[in-house]
Amino acid sequence: MVRNKTISARITEASLILVMLVISALSLAPVVHVFSVSFSDNAAAAGGFVKFWPVGFSLESYRKILEEPHFFNAFLVSVKRVLLGGGINFVLTVMMAYPLSRSNKEFPYRNVYMWFMLFTMLFSGGIIPLYLTVKALGMFNSMWALVLPGAVPVFNVILLMNFFRNLPKELSDAGYMDGAGPWYMMVKVYLPLSLPAMATVTLFSIVGHWNSFFDGLIFMRSAENYPLQTYIQQLVVNQNVLELDSTKLELLMKVSDKTLNAAKIVVSMVPILIVYPFLQKYFIHGIMLGSVKE
């Protein structure tokens, strides 16, 4: 009987591994294809001969990126957006999550604020009211139009709030007995113990700001203020050969738009690929061990 359970467990484990390998391969296939196109010869890429391996290896697309000022301008706009927007998200998320994690006795109107926050998460006014609000506030064509409408990520607030609530209550009791106030408890006690949750919500904010393109499309009136993803979206979706000037037409003779756009997509993925490994360790290792001693 024990042997049958062991064989069944092994079959189940092998099946799960196989399923995860298939899902991983399907997830990586588009990324590998884009990498291969970016390193391929322009004729092979334009002809659709590139699948999952570069054909006619070439670095011409990446060399052209280094010579294109508009790409780096959009890249810089996205970096500024991530730093400013991520910082605002971090501060507001912490300052909302901590009081909402307290009990009704400590924060009498907690449930009112909680329901109000959940309502904004489930229902929104839509794009037109948002557009009119941003216009009325005079934020068009500025960085504030990209970071302020999503300054409070409600989902991140809920994640961090639940993490705070799961911390041992003895920490609060001990701190209050020693005369610590709410600010001291939040900054000196709760935040150091919440690095895994903070890393998670920070990564969500960084990826969200970096990958967003639609708000740049509707709030930016000049291409110089486009964030990187909006710039790439315009290239991939709306590029018209008839509207290109002589310089860009000469560029397309040497480098196809497929290889050049693929190279830009690859470059746009690099910052996230660099940041993610540093935050990944906090998803795996908790740091609450030893925080409460009996």
Side-chain angles (χ1 to χ4, degrees):
M1 193 70 177
V2 176
R3 185 178 180 183
N4 292 335
K5 288 184 178 180
T6 302
I7 294 174
S8 176
R10 289 179 178 177
I11 293 175
T12 302
E13 183 179 355
S15 301
L16 290 175
I17 292 175
L18 180 61
V19 170
M20 294 305 297
L21 287 175
V22 172
I23 294 176
S24 300
L26 292 175
S27 301
L28 290 174
V31 179
V32 174
H33 175 70
V34 172
F35 268 89
S36 300
V37 171
S38 68
F39 287 107
S40 297
D41 179 71
N42 60 336
F49 299 109
V50 182
K51 301 302 180 184
F52 299 108
W53 192 258
V55 177
F57 186 84
S58 174
L59 295 175
E60 188 69 20
S61 297
Y62 291 93
R63 188 177 71 83
K64 291 301 180 184
I65 287 179
L66 296 177
E67 300 174 356
E68 188 169 340
H70 297 294
F71 176 82
F72 283 101
N73 180 69
F75 191 94
L76 183 60
V77 171
S78 285
V79 171
K80 291 179 181 178
R81 174 179 184 170
V82 168
L83 294 177
L84 180 61
I88 293 174
N89 291 156
F90 178 86
V91 172
L92 294 182
T93 298
V94 172
M95 293 186 68
M96 286 194 67
Y98 180 74
L100 289 174
S101 67
R102 303 297 86 199
S103 64
N104 290 327
K105 183 178 180 180
E106 296 174 283
F107 185 18
Y109 296 101
R110 174 190 176 276
N111 291 339
V112 176
Y113 285 99
M114 194 67 200
W115 280 109
F116 179 78
M117 187 178 65
L118 289 175
F119 183 85
T120 63
M121 181 180 178
L122 298 175
F123 305 98
S124 66
I127 296 177
I128 295 177
L130 176 61
Y131 181 91
L132 295 176
T133 301
V134 172
K135 182 179 180 181
L137 293 175
M139 295 190 299
F140 261 21
N141 217 34
S142 71
M143 183 64 65
W144 298 112
L146 302 179
V147 299
L148 288 186
V152 181
V154 178
F155 180 74
N156 291 357
V157 172
I158 294 175
L159 285 180
L160 191 58
M161 179 196 69
N162 288 330
F163 190 90
F164 284 156
R165 297 188 73 178
N166 288 329
L167 291 175
K169 193 176 185 300
E170 289 79 2
L171 290 172
S172 298
D173 296 338
Y176 293 145
M177 289 180 64
D178 291 338
W183 285 100
Y184 185 92
M185 290 295 300
M186 181 181 72
V187 176
K188 296 293 185 179
V189 178
Y190 276 79
L191 288 186
L193 294 174
S194 306
L195 289 184
M198 295 306 305
T200 302
V201 298
T202 300
L203 184 62
F204 286 166
S205 295
I206 290 174
V207 174
H209 280 294
W210 187 263
N211 289 338
S212 181
F213 75 92
F214 186 68
D215 49 1
L217 197 62
I218 62 176
F219 295 141
M220 295 299 149
R221 293 177 173 173
S222 60
E224 290 77 12
N225 294 322
Y226 279 171
L228 183 59
Q229 302 303 328
T230 304
Y231 171 78
I232 292 178
Q233 188 269 349
Q234 290 291 288
L235 286 177
V236 175
V237 177
N238 296 329
Q239 180 166 292
N240 187 352
V241 177
L242 298 177
E243 298 177 356
L244 298 180
D245 55 27
S246 58
T247 304
K248 292 185 178 180
L249 286 174
E250 184 179 354
L251 172 63
L252 287 179
M253 293 175 62
K254 299 178 180 179
V255 181
S256 72
D257 57 340
K258 265 194 172 183
T259 58
L260 190 60
N261 291 341
K264 291 175 180 178
I265 293 173
V266 170
V267 174
S268 71
M269 290 190 295
V270 169
I272 298 299
L273 295 178
I274 293 175
V275 170
Y276 188 82
F278 292 99
L279 298 179
Q280 172 65 21
K281 61 181 179 180
Y282 293 114
F283 299 159
I284 302 172
H285 302 289
I287 53 174
M288 285 180 55
L289 297 177
S291 61
V292 178
K293 298 182 180 179
E294 297 182 0

